[in-house]
Amino acid sequence: MEENKYKKLFQITEKLHSSLDVNTLLGELFVILQEVYPDFSYYLLLSQDTHSHNDLPIIDLDYDSENMTAIHAYVSGNIQFENSIVDNHAILYAPLKGGQGVYGVLQIIAPNTPHFPDHEIEFITLLARCAGSALENAQLYQQSRRAIADLQLINETSHRLNSNLRLTETMTFMSEQIKTSFDAEEVGFFLFSHDQVKVKVLSGSTPFFFTKQARSYIDYIKEKIQKGSGPLFIGDLNLANITSFHSIMAVPMIQRQKLKGFSIIMHQIPYFFSFETFKLLQSLLHHSSLALTNSLLREELEKLVITDHLTKLHSRKFLDEKIQRSMKKDEEGTFILIDIDNFKEINDTYGHQIGDEVLIQLANLIKRIIHGRDIGARWGGEELAIYLPMVPLNTGIALAKSLVEKVSESTNPPITVSCGVSYWNKERLDSYQYLFKRADEALYIAKETGKNKVIIQGDNITVS
């Protein structure tokens, strides 16, 4: 019988080592135990188990467990015994030991005996070692495959991000990568303002982060990140009046040792993300930070190129390009050239700083009255301009009149402006240069005939 049992052990060893899948291996172990010890009961206590075994007698091995005998077997790596005279059964705890550590404890219960049978101890010890070695091999194999997959994810993401994507494309790609790779429900990217007080939700974040419901999560993470908490790994978040998302991972985005923003990844199920996932996320964002920074810097540079530094309106070059493009693809458009009346007197009376402030006030008024595709620009000096694509002449005149009326009320010291309005449509041959020339001539007439008025393109009609 002993000889047959050890022959069986050899077959068991071959069988356990033939699989590199943890779930399959553990299933085989319980089949073997059922064959060899049909009258015994058994449980497997596993440490750091990330698998689901609803159909197997497997429980987590917790360090705060009341079963100190099992803990001792795990820590010492030696077989432990427990006897119950009252229940008349004996328990053996055999550590599943591999070459690099102990992976769990096999609990075997022998009924109707006060002491565990001596002749079974050696066999169970060998069986546990065999199972421990097979489990170690399977886990190492799966870890290596996961490491390879993680490296491929990081490499592919870094390669894609370094292909000069724009910021929105970069963030959208990152969001999709994280949702796919981490099974995340919500992914958000946030950029701090220059004073570190406010955060802007970047395009590419999932829609949830643009809602009011997301503010509590964003503000909570923002406060933690600003306090220097570093990356955050929260298994079960519980905030007042917030119950939707429990699993949270957040990673700060740092550029040249300065906090620029952060990312948030969320799931509704508590403890959904593993710590391995958290480490992968940090690595992914670390390797992607250069591409993200480059996208931010590139867009900041582009914004500087197309924006007047004083008024924050668009530059003339940008406006020129937009008008020429509009005249090729749109049906019509209205152009308004604006000049501050007696601007030299303002500079001479109040100083150039006040003159700059007046320009800024006028620019802010223009920003308030235009919308959609409309473009406000600094034309040069005290001249500003508005272009209204796909807007008929009457609408453009009404906007110019409104601007002239509101200027004196919205500026301090109060100023007035003169406007020249020109218009084009597809029905007649026209050009960008001629569109500007007509508006410039109309503006000249407005200045020469009393100022503080609107003149339409070369027909010498005073509108206000």
Side-chain angles (χ1 to χ4, degrees), residues 195-208:
D195 57 7
Q196 299 280 306
V197 175
K198 297 180 179 179
V199 289
K200 174 186 176 184
V201 185
L202 294 177
S203 298
S205 303
T206 49
F208 171 77

Side-chain angles (χ1 to χ4, degrees), residues 324-342:
Q324 292 180 63
R325 194 176 304 166
S326 172
M327 294 182 80
K328 290 179 181 178
K329 67 175 185 177
D330 294 332
E331 297 297 320
E332 60 184 348
T334 300
F335 177 63
I336 306 170
L337 196 56
I338 307 153
D339 185 82
I340 299 176
D341 298 330
N342 308 314

Side-chain angles (χ1 to χ4, degrees), residues 68-262:
M68 293 307 300
T69 309
I71 296 296
H72 188 50
Y74 178 77
V75 173
S76 67
N78 297 317
I79 283 187
Q80 302 295 317
F81 298 95
E82 195 176 78
N83 302 315
S84 175
I85 298 175
V86 176
D87 297 327
N88 193 30
H89 65 238
I91 306 175
L92 177 147
Y93 296 92
L96 301 185
K97 211 153 82 170
Q100 297 185 9
V102 179
Y103 297 89
V105 175
L106 178 61
Q107 179 189 47
I108 299 182
I109 305 170
N112 305 318
T113 177
H115 301 287
F116 206 90
D118 291 338
H119 63 280
E120 301 292 355
I121 294 174
E122 182 182 6
F123 182 83
I124 292 173
T125 302
L126 294 173
L127 175 61
R129 285 179 184 173
C130 167
S133 175
L135 185 59
E136 180 176 75
N137 289 341
Q139 288 195 349
L140 289 174
Y141 173 73
Q142 292 190 0
Q143 286 173 10
S144 66
R145 290 193 63 183
R146 188 161 55 246
I148 291 170
D150 292 349
L151 288 172
Q152 287 176 336
L153 172 65
I154 292 170
N155 183 54
E156 290 172 4
T157 303
S158 299
H159 178 74
R160 177 72 182 275
L161 291 179
N162 284 310
S163 60
N164 293 322
L165 293 177
R166 300 191 64 80
L167 182 61
T168 300
E169 294 172 331
T170 298
M171 293 305 170
T172 301
F173 173 74
M174 282 296 298
S175 180
E176 290 301 320
Q177 283 287 86
I178 291 172
K179 284 179 67 178
T180 302
S181 302
F182 300 93
D183 290 327
E185 290 182 332
E186 303 296 344
V187 180
F189 297 95
F190 309 88
L191 193 64
F192 279 111
S193 58
H194 290 293
D195 57 7
Q196 299 280 306
V197 175
K198 297 180 179 179
V199 289
K200 174 186 176 184
V201 185
L202 294 177
S203 298
S205 303
T206 49
F208 171 77
F209 287 107
F210 295 91
T211 65
K212 290 182 179 179
Q213 292 85 345
R215 289 308 313 178
S216 298
Y217 295 99
I218 297 170
D219 292 341
Y220 176 79
I221 297 300
K222 168 178 167 283
E223 183 180 351
K224 291 283 187 183
I225 293 288
Q226 286 182 314
K227 286 181 178 179
S229 301
L232 300 176
F233 182 65
I234 304 171
D236 190 7
L237 178 67
N238 286 297
L239 296 176
N241 302 321
I242 299 178
T243 56
S244 297
F245 295 94
H246 295 276
S247 293
I248 310 283
M249 296 190 292
V251 179
M253 292 190 290
I254 297 174
Q255 173 195 340
R256 295 178 183 175
Q257 299 183 332
K258 184 178 180 181
L259 182 63
K260 301 292 288 185
F262 56 93

Side-chain angles (χ1 to χ4, degrees), residues 10 52 82 114 128 191 193 228 235 267 270 284 295 328 358-359 367 425:
F10 179 76
S52 176
E82 195 176 78
L191 193 64
S193 58
H267 201 284
L284 180 65
S295 294
K328 290 179 181 178
V358 166
L359 270 168
K367 291 175 193 174
N425 61 41

Side-chain angles (χ1 to χ4, degrees), residues 194 260 295-305:
H194 290 293
K260 301 292 288 185
S295 294
L296 284 169
L297 291 175
R298 184 165 58 249
E299 299 223 346
E300 286 178 8
L301 181 60
E302 288 176 355
K303 189 174 181 181
L304 288 173
V305 170

